[in-house]
Amino acid sequence: MIVIGIVGPPAGGKSTVARQLVEMGAVWLDADRLAHQVLNQESVIEALVGYFGLEVLEEGKINRKWLATQVFGDDLESRQRLQWLEAVVHPPTRLLLQQKLIEATKNGVPAAVLDVPLLFESNWDVYCDQIWCLVTPLQKRQSWLHERGWTVEELKKREARQLPISEKKRLSTHILQNNGSSEELRSQVAKLAAKIGLPVPNSKKPNFSSESSFDAYSPIDRSPVTPTDRNEHCWGKRVVPPGSHPVE
Ligand SMILES: CC(C)(COP(=O)(O)OP(=O)(O)OC[C@H]1O[C@@H](n2cnc3c(N)ncnc32)[C@H](O)[C@@H]1O)[C@@H](O)C(=O)NCCC(=O)NCCS
Ligand SMILES: Nc1ncnc2c1ncn2[C@@H]1O[C@H](COP(=O)(O)OP(=O)(O)OP(=O)(O)O)[C@@H](O)[C@H]1O
């Protein structure tokens, strides 16, 4: 099984690429979704109420929209709150992600896609054979934002808490330019997928939601890919190739 990490700026198209790879037989591991599951755990809710007060709750659940206003900011207090939140949420999220990776390996899927926004920041890159970095202009992301109800300011605040895109590019093995349609993005994804032996469908397949793709694997082809020099050591430290990376 080959492990592909997807990175990029917030709202840069990581999930879109993951969905496209699911259509090509990969399994999608969505760290945001797993972190949301962790936020539903009783012990985590108790810890958050202890730290943030009852305001963090809405109808007994963590109010993520409110919490985002408390942790994404440039001031010292916000940064300390984010650090605290990550220290609570990341370890159980890591455990869930590890379990899902092991499950995918056992199921013999050809590829697992790690859709982890903080892939480098949380050292998840060590699990990856390849890392694909999306380069997506702010203007494009702005035009897609309305779907998730964020303002540009919210987007920028989150981005400021992540590794700069220049660093993400430098540390990645492939770069995808997401500055056109999703079909244009798909053709870049298909090219890279073909290189690692994933079955690329000719026609457009229906979209898989994170919900449905998370535990269910694509029915297209479950046979393992031919081993390449990079996919034989899924659990070893990935070696970052020297120099800059060609635009794919
Ligand atoms: C603050 C929370 C409640 C806001 O929830 P919300 O539903 O608004 O956002 P969601 O979780 O879907 O994240 C959307 C995007 O925000 C950005 N983002 C989320 N957490 C972080 C973070 N700790 N640092 C920088 N950017 C982040 C990412 O680009 C992510 O894809 C939530 O993001 C959270 O609990 N974050 C801390 C846990 C974490 O680091 N998650 C990232 C994956 S491990
Ligand atoms: N090339 C594209 N053409 C049109 N819409 C796009 C394109 N790429 C992404 N989008 C849209 O932009 C929005 C953000 O994309 P997506 O959710 O894939 O980003 P993301 O990187 O996973 O975001 P985050 O990690 O911050 O949650 C979505 O509504 C998606 O449909």
Side-chain angles (χ1 to χ4, degrees), residues 9-16 19 32 115 117 144 147-148 150 178 180-182 185:
K14 294 183 294 298
S15 306
T16 305
R19 280 192 198 92
D32 283 338
D115 176 3
W144 301 326
E147 287 187 28
R148 63 173 64 180
W150 290 1
N178 190 12
S181 67
S182 53
L185 181 61

Side-chain angles (χ1 to χ4, degrees), residues 57-85:
L57 291 183
E58 188 182 54
E59 293 174 6
K61 295 207 160 166
I62 297 298
N63 181 344
R64 299 208 307 268
K65 205 167 170 54
W66 180 85
L67 189 51
T69 66
Q70 302 301 301
V71 299
F72 296 127
D74 203 23
D75 56 296
L76 181 64
E77 272 203 337
S78 299
R79 283 187 277 131
Q80 284 173 340
R81 287 193 285 253
L82 182 62
Q83 207 174 6
W84 181 90
L85 180 66

Side-chain angles (χ1 to χ4, degrees), residues 8-11 14-15 30-36 39 48 62-69 71-72 82 85-86 89-90 93-94 97 115-118 121-122 124 148 150 154 157-163 168:
K14 294 183 294 298
S15 306
D30 180 346
D32 283 338
R33 191 165 172 268
L34 290 177
H36 296 169
L39 288 177
L48 263 71
I62 297 298
N63 181 344
R64 299 208 307 268
K65 205 167 170 54
W66 180 85
L67 189 51
T69 66
V71 299
F72 296 127
L82 182 62
L85 180 66
E86 288 180 350
V89 174
H90 284 188
T93 305
R94 178 177 292 273
L97 211 42
D115 176 3
V116 183
L118 305 178
E121 296 88 333
S122 307
W124 268 93
R148 63 173 64 180
W150 290 1
E154 281 175 287
K157 276 183 185 170
R158 291 180 194 229
E159 193 162 358
R161 301 273 63 85
Q162 299 184 11
L163 209 58
K168 291 184 183 179

Side-chain angles (χ1 to χ4, degrees), residues 6-20 28 30 32 115-117 134 136 140-141 143-148 150 155 158 162 177-186 207:
I6 310 282
V7 296
K14 294 183 294 298
S15 306
T16 305
V17 168
R19 280 192 198 92
Q20 293 173 349
W28 172 17
D30 180 346
D32 283 338
D115 176 3
V116 183
L134 280 154
T136 316
K140 279 277 173 194
R141 290 185 282 139
S143 70
W144 301 326
L145 273 183
H146 61 275
E147 287 187 28
R148 63 173 64 180
W150 290 1
L155 177 83
R158 291 180 194 229
Q162 299 184 11
Q177 300 288 347
N178 190 12
N179 52 10
S181 67
S182 53
E183 281 316 303
E184 283 170 89
L185 181 61
R186 186 192 300 275
N207 263 356

